[in-house]
Amino acid sequence: MTINRLLIANRGEIAARIMKTAHALGVATVAVYSDPDAEAPYVTLADEAVRLPGAAPADTYLRGDLVLAAAAAAGADAVHPGYGFLSENAAFARACADAGLTFIGPAPGTIAAMGDKIAAKALMAEAGVPVLPSVSVTDGVDLTGAAHQIGFPLLVKAAFGGGGRGMRLVAGPAGLDEAVRAARGEAASAFGDGTVFLERFVTDPRHVEVQILGDTHGTVIHLFERECSIQRRYQKIVEESPSPAVDRALRAALTAAAVTAGRAVGYTGAGTVEFVLARDGSFFFLEMNTRLQVEHPVTEAITGLDLVELQLRIAEGEPLPPRMPEMSGHAIEARLYAEDVPAGFVPVTGTLHRFAIPETPGIRVDTGFRDGSVVSPHYDAMLAKVSAHGRTRADAARRLARALEQAEIHGVTTNRDLLVAILREPGFLAGATDTGYLTRHDPAALAASAAPGPAAVRAHALAAALARQARHRAEAAVLATLPSGWRNVFSAPQRVAYAAGEGQYAVAYRIRGDTVTAAVNGAPLEGHVREATPDRVDLEIDGTRRTYRVHQAGAGTYVDASDGSSALAEIPRFGDPEKHAPAGSLLAPMPGLVLRVLAEPGAVVRAGQPILVLEAMKMEQIVSAPADGVLAELRAKAGEQVSTGQVLAVLEAGG
């Protein structure tokens, strides 16, 4: 069977990545897109695109009937599901076959067997693959008895789905009932099935997975292991291959177990067998992902293979190559997210005024965004996967950190500083990576260590002021020949103030020739301006010369240089009193849907008491009372969509 026209039942970076390989093989592609994705780059990268009306995943990318109708309308003969959405939906894979379409993935029966994590564990145990003790949570189960049978701490996990959703860690009996309720609700929302189970929790293990491939001729092989231990909210943010903890003997055991797992279900296509690796070297089956993984680029880097190409060739009936390559070097991938790390990894939305990550030698960037793209509340907040390949692990880490540092990301808050800090942290470089890494290392402190310090931000504020002056001079309608910064009264400095993060930077400066004399928040700065244009300032301060790249977008000024990046907002001379929220206001930390309201106006509440629950990007966020008081006003109701900073409730002292 030959694939001629491939529909990609997905969006963003994975859709673009699949199209790249398909086009290289001479295969035409069809995209599907929701209304918020109408301007996304992948849509125009495809040969054709079909609209899925609506915004929410449940109305668009999770509608298998609409996807199949799009495939029929476009004349597609195959469907690639990517990852997420319908990629591990056995009913969809079966519907593709019924419609005469080749589904790029394993057989529906395999997906069904591995999609039910409870049944999958039983099947793996029968095949001889080590598994952790677990108990399914059914309506009649004695939760307390089951929990004590497994032992605390334990995990409550969604039986269907993954990505950290529908998962709760329970330290003791007191939090068990609420954890099960919350996990069930999140699992039902994310995967359409609220079934959960309890599983023994291995304290601070490593998360190690093995890439497998199976063809239609009965061959199942492995492509070595990846380590994905550094996680937040049970979601991976740094992945690498090979694992720094796996030696030759352990690799042989892990990969043999993974191949056994694949053979037990007659696996075809690309899949991943995930394990938890304990400190004593023992390992246990976690789950099998019957799809391409987000982190597949690191495997491609160390093997030189294109996993999407292999998926397509396997689907066409080709056997796997007789000899697979050996590992070459080391690869690390970082997931760049639009999120506020100090606020607890809260997803953020907004417009990417500029989005540029340099693809230098050894660097690969997979993204679904470009300048002007909008990060919406409807989908996952990942902006890009940035991966580096080097001769050694240290080479890859150093290369990746620099690429992230050099990136220009303007318009939304990201986890870039956290990623850079991790890649340079001594424990990480020594291979001390397990799932407790971000418990031992405070993420906010790590991110702050990689962010530009006060001295750098002061220099950025001065560079922004000089670029602002150059822009005004370039736009001047009269006396256009006067030099930038010229004033009748030289003793009176020019002034501008910026807000950056929680701080403010008041800049006062004078320019005479190429000399600038300035003070930022009273701290003196003196140097030479080699060049100042609206978008570039070549400035020497205290004998150190740097080029500052300056980008103006609305009221925001973005400065990128070798000493870091700053997002500055010019402070108007006169404030707007209408923008002040009432004292005691509880503000929405992110745009989202109000799922539940947990208190009524007039109620006496205590510090930390949950008031509302929001849902955004498939995650729940609790808005709690910051102090004891009385709930004077409730300005949001269940089912209402709210925006970042919107007043949800007003708390008054008392009670």
Side-chain angles (χ1 to χ4, degrees), residues 148-171:
H148 283 291
Q149 176 186 334
I150 293 171
F152 292 101
L154 57 80
L155 279 174
V156 183
K157 297 176 67 174
F160 300 89
R165 299 184 178 96
M167 185 182 295
R168 296 292 187 277
L169 175 62
V170 183

Side-chain angles (χ1 to χ4, degrees), residues 192-277:
D193 191 308
T195 306
V196 297
F197 63 98
L198 311 183
E199 182 178 79
R200 178 180 294 170
F201 179 72
V202 180
T203 302
D204 295 343
R206 291 178 184 261
H207 185 140
V208 178
E209 61 190 30
V210 177
Q211 177 72 59
I212 62 170
L213 289 171
D215 63 22
T216 56
H217 305 277
T219 301
V220 179
I221 63 164
H222 73 84
L223 293 179
F224 313 107
E225 84 282 353
R226 299 184 288 256
E227 179 165 335
C228 314
S229 298
I230 298 183
Q231 305 175 4
R232 48 78 169 130
R233 293 197 307 262
Y234 305 109
Q235 291 181 309
K236 308 162 187 174
I237 58 171
V238 177
E239 301 109 336
E240 60 183 308
S241 185
S243 166
V246 175
D247 59 20
R248 182 172 295 182
L250 181 53
R251 179 170 297 119
L254 276 166
T255 55
V259 169
T260 296
R263 287 174 177 157
V265 293
Y267 202 87
T268 56
T272 300
V273 185
E274 302 197 1
F275 299 96
V276 288
L277 175 63

Side-chain angles (χ1 to χ4, degrees), residues 451-463 499-500 505 507 520 525 563 565-568:
V457 180
R458 287 196 294 270
H460 294 177
L462 176 57
Y505 296 83
V507 184
V520 181
L525 291 175
D563 57 353
S565 301
S566 293
L568 308 166

Side-chain angles (χ1 to χ4, degrees), residues 461-478:
L462 176 57
L466 295 173
R468 173 182 180 271
Q469 172 60 43
R471 186 174 66 256
H472 289 170
R473 184 87 300 247
E475 295 170 352
V478 296

Side-chain angles (χ1 to χ4, degrees), residues 4-8 28-32 47-50 66-78 101:
N4 294 305
R5 184 172 293 269
L6 177 69
L7 182 139
I8 296 93
T29 58
V30 180
V32 290
D47 295 288
E48 297 176 12
V50 180
L66 296 183
V67 172
L68 291 175
D77 48 31
L101 296 165

Side-chain angles (χ1 to χ4, degrees), residues 512-593:
R512 176 169 286 175
D514 69 349
T515 300
V516 59
T517 303
V520 181
N521 289 351
L525 291 175
E526 187 163 341
H528 297 281
V529 184
R530 306 288 180 175
E531 180 186 23
T533 69
D535 56 9
R536 184 177 184 275
V537 176
D538 185 345
L539 178 62
E540 180 184 316
I541 299 176
D542 297 330
T544 300
R545 182 177 173 184
R546 289 186 176 91
T547 297
Y548 299 86
R549 305 183 302 279
V550 183
H551 176 217
Q552 186 75 27
T557 302
Y558 302 91
V559 181
D560 298 285
S562 62
D563 57 353
S565 301
S566 293
L568 308 166
E570 185 173 338
I571 300 173
R573 294 180 62 190
F574 305 103
D576 183 357
E578 296 296 322
K579 292 185 178 179
H580 293 290
S585 295
L586 276 66
L587 308 180
M590 59 184 180
L593 181 73

Side-chain angles (χ1 to χ4, degrees), residues 15-362:
R17 187 265 170 276
I18 294 166
M19 289 173 194
K20 182 179 178 181
T21 290
H23 292 164
L25 293 174
V27 176
T29 58
V30 180
V32 290
Y33 65 94
S34 67
D35 292 339
D37 281 338
E39 303 302 320
Y42 80 93
V43 176
T44 52
L45 181 63
D47 295 288
E48 297 176 12
V50 180
R51 175 177 172 244
L52 303 178
D59 299 327
T60 54
Y61 301 108
L62 288 172
R63 285 283 302 275
D65 57 333
L66 296 183
V67 172
L68 291 175
D77 48 31
V79 174
H80 196 307
Y83 53 72
F85 297 131
L86 295 167
S87 62
E88 294 178 285
N89 186 309
F92 177 69
R94 198 171 291 113
C96 286
D98 292 343
L101 296 165
T102 299
F103 179 80
I104 310 302
T110 301
I111 297 173
M114 293 297 99
D116 181 345
K117 292 182 174 57
I118 298 168
K121 288 180 59 140
L123 182 59
M124 292 300 106
E126 185 179 342
V129 179
V131 300
L132 289 166
S134 63
V135 174
S136 179
V137 177
T138 60
D139 289 338
V141 75
D142 174 10
L143 268 183
T144 303
H148 283 291
Q149 176 186 334
I150 293 171
F152 292 101
L154 57 80
L155 279 174
V156 183
K157 297 176 67 174
F160 300 89
R165 299 184 178 96
M167 185 182 295
R168 296 292 187 277
L169 175 62
V170 183
L176 182 60
D177 288 343
E178 172 58 22
V180 169
R181 186 208 62 76
R184 275 178 161 167
E186 196 169 84
S189 173
F191 314 120
D193 191 308
T195 306
V196 297
F197 63 98
L198 311 183
E199 182 178 79
R200 178 180 294 170
F201 179 72
V202 180
T203 302
D204 295 343
R206 291 178 184 261
H207 185 140
V208 178
E209 61 190 30
V210 177
Q211 177 72 59
I212 62 170
L213 289 171
D215 63 22
T216 56
H217 305 277
T219 301
V220 179
I221 63 164
H222 73 84
L223 293 179
F224 313 107
E225 84 282 353
R226 299 184 288 256
E227 179 165 335
C228 314
S229 298
I230 298 183
Q231 305 175 4
R232 48 78 169 130
R233 293 197 307 262
Y234 305 109
Q235 291 181 309
K236 308 162 187 174
I237 58 171
V238 177
E239 301 109 336
E240 60 183 308
S241 185
S243 166
V246 175
D247 59 20
R248 182 172 295 182
L250 181 53
R251 179 170 297 119
L254 276 166
T255 55
V259 169
T260 296
R263 287 174 177 157
V265 293
Y267 202 87
T268 56
T272 300
V273 185
E274 302 197 1
F275 299 96
V276 288
L277 175 63
R279 294 177 183 178
D280 63 2
S282 60
F283 59 88
F284 305 92
F285 173 82
L286 192 61
E287 62 185 10
M288 180 187 290
N289 291 309
T290 54
R291 54 171 168 79
L292 197 65
Q293 289 281 85
V294 176
E295 57 272 23
H296 75 273
V298 295
T299 296
E300 293 184 328
I302 66 160
T303 62
L305 297 172
D306 182 327
L307 293 188
V308 174
E309 178 180 348
L310 287 168
Q311 284 185 298
L312 296 176
R313 293 192 182 282
I314 289 169
E316 290 182 321
E318 286 192 25
L320 285 164
R323 285 195 53 159
M324 303 307 288
E326 294 297 314
M327 286 190 295
S328 175
H330 199 102
I332 306 175
E333 175 183 286
R335 299 193 194 186
L336 182 68
Y337 279 93
E339 63 185 11
D340 188 337
V341 172
F345 299 102
V346 173
V348 298
T349 60
T351 299
L352 283 165
H353 303 301
R354 179 166 293 166
F355 189 65
I357 305 172
E359 292 197 60
T360 51

